[in-house]
Amino acid sequence: VKRATTSGGPYANVATGVTATSYADTGLTNGTTYYYVVSASNAVGESVNSAQASATPTAPQPPAAP
């Protein structure tokens, strides 16, 4: 899993050896858009990056006052 704060990269590795179909990235800044790609690797080498996906974390909103 690779992440960037600029669309199109450059990307930095944030997780390696992920075998699950999901990954939770933690310690991010609310309101900042992050861009992700993934690649696969084996003994021969690494694949090209996947298509880019983006996410912008937001703080949960407190419930309304009664």
Side-chain angles (χ1 to χ4, degrees):
V1 179
K2 303 172 189 178
R3 178 182 71 209
T5 54
T6 303
S7 181
Y11 302 100
N13 284 326
V14 293
T16 59
V18 177
T19 58
T21 56
S22 64
Y23 170 76
D25 198 4
T26 60
L28 303 176
T29 302
N30 288 330
T32 299
T33 301
Y34 295 92
Y35 302 90
Y36 294 89
V37 295
V38 296
S39 62
S41 63
N42 61 20
V44 178
E46 184 175 350
S47 71
V48 297
N49 290 336
S50 68
Q52 177 179 274
S54 65
T56 305
T58 57
Q61 297 299 314

